[in-house]
Amino acid sequence: MKIAVLIKQVPDSTEITVDKNTGTLVRDGVPSIMNPDDLAGLEASLALKDKDDSIDITVVSMGPPQAAGMLQEAIARGADHAVLLTDRRLGGADTCATSRTLAAALNKIGYDFIIAGRQAIDGDTAQVGPQTAERLGLPQVTYVDEILELTPEYAKVKKSLEDEEQVVKVKLPAVITTLSGMNKPRYMNCIDIVDSFNNPVQIMTYDDIKDDLPQDLIGLAGSPTKVHRTFTKNVSAATEKFDLPADETADRIVEALKEKQLIKK
């Protein structure tokens, strides 16, 4: 079975800025890591491989050339192959253009089961995994916090919702998105790190997928999402003070929590 794991290199910080001219994130000078939800998806695939060594894992990322280091780390952790889709023509892509590009690359690479992180910490959209599934015409299960069973025919997973959990059985090929808290990623050891450099990252460019994807549908040109303006919200120290009996105070607190959607009405 071929498992494709989508991973993204993200800034190791929430203190990132936005280019006011292009509306894209400024990543220069910010250290990068593997996106936590994606790392959980990689670990989930490695745990499956521990039980069935016939499973073949390919990690796939779209990003700048330096993302190859993150993919080399994925190989050191246990992935069999790594593919980096990198090209200046792909730069500035929103989730729509990114999912188109990833879907075209996945069709070239091949897959039986696709795992993606729920969302990236630099965008928090939670859209790339579901949109990629839609581009490929595949069923999808999001917010997965455990893979219960995987066979050549189906996957059985546990899906986490706000107030309940669901066990879902989905026919393969399919896409799932994973949560960072679903497992504890394994550590790399020195031998695996050294051995990983005997298995270099494969580079793909737009030229490898252009037959399936016109250039006006990729990168910034193919991104319908436009950032009109960014700004920092002003925070006020103003407060409201109430002097009420205990029972009325409790009711007032409950109403305030409901208004902020912190509890259900």
Side-chain angles (χ1 to χ4, degrees):
M1 178 182 291
K2 296 183 68 173
I3 298 180
V5 183
L6 304 183
I7 63 177
K8 183 182 182 183
Q9 187 180 56
V10 295
D12 187 14
S13 173
T14 56
E15 300 298 320
I16 53 178
T17 58
V18 177
D19 187 308
K20 294 182 179 180
N21 294 320
T22 64
T24 58
L25 298 179
V26 178
R27 302 176 186 273
D28 294 342
V30 181
S32 297
I33 58 170
M34 189 184 302
N35 183 59
D37 283 353
D38 302 344
L39 180 55
L42 173 60
E43 174 58 35
S45 72
L46 295 172
L48 292 169
K49 187 177 177 66
D50 289 341
K51 299 176 183 177
D52 180 0
D53 60 9
S54 69
I55 288 176
D56 186 84
I57 300 171
T58 299
V59 289
V60 183
S61 186
M62 173 177 151
Q66 57 264 34
M70 172 198 64
L71 291 171
Q72 205 71 57
E73 174 190 329
I75 294 174
R77 289 179 185 272
D80 298 291
H81 316 284
V83 177
L84 175 60
L85 189 59
T86 185
D87 195 310
R88 285 188 175 275
R89 289 169 288 185
L90 304 175
D94 66 357
T95 59
C96 182
T98 297
S99 63
R100 285 195 195 105
T101 308
L102 287 171
L106 286 164
N107 279 331
K108 296 287 186 182
I109 295 165
Y111 56 84
D112 297 302
F113 188 42
I114 300 172
I115 301 176
R118 169 194 54 173
Q119 64 188 40
I121 60 174
D122 60 351
D124 286 339
T125 65
Q127 294 176 359
V128 170
Q131 286 184 3
T132 301
E134 189 69 18
R135 306 283 184 199
L136 294 169
L138 299 179
Q140 59 179 284
V141 184
T142 56
Y143 289 76
V144 170
D145 63 6
E146 187 176 355
I147 300 174
L148 301 172
E149 187 180 358
L150 181 66
T151 76
E153 290 77 34
Y154 66 86
K156 184 187 288 187
V157 300
K158 186 167 69 175
K159 175 184 173 79
S160 179
L161 301 175
E162 289 184 357
D163 54 358
E164 65 179 18
E165 291 183 330
Q166 298 176 346
V167 174
V168 181
K169 189 175 178 180
V170 60
K171 184 179 179 181
L172 298 188
V175 177
I176 66 168
T177 68
T178 51
L179 303 173
S180 61
M182 70 184 293
N183 54 40
K184 184 177 180 180
R186 64 194 64 192
Y187 290 103
M188 298 174 285
N189 61 59
C190 293
I191 294 175
D192 290 337
I193 292 172
V194 172
D195 288 346
S196 72
F197 290 97
N198 295 320
N199 185 5
V201 174
Q202 177 188 346
I203 301 298
M204 292 180 69
T205 69
Y206 173 63
D207 291 333
D208 295 305
I209 58 173
K210 66 181 181 181
D211 291 341
D212 301 322
L213 194 59
Q215 191 166 344
D216 61 352
L217 295 179
I218 65 167
L220 195 59
S223 300
T225 306
K226 306 297 181 186
V227 178
H228 175 65
R229 183 169 63 96
T230 63
F231 60 94
T232 301
K233 184 177 179 180
N234 293 324
V235 178
S236 171
T239 60
E240 291 183 84
K241 184 176 180 180
F242 299 92
D243 186 4
L244 301 169
D247 56 345
E248 292 183 31
T249 299
D251 290 340
R252 184 70 188 87
I253 292 172
V254 169
E255 286 303 313
L257 293 174
K258 287 179 179 178
E259 289 173 6
K260 295 183 178 296
Q261 299 182 350
L262 296 177
I263 62 174
K264 290 190 173 182
K265 295 182 178 182

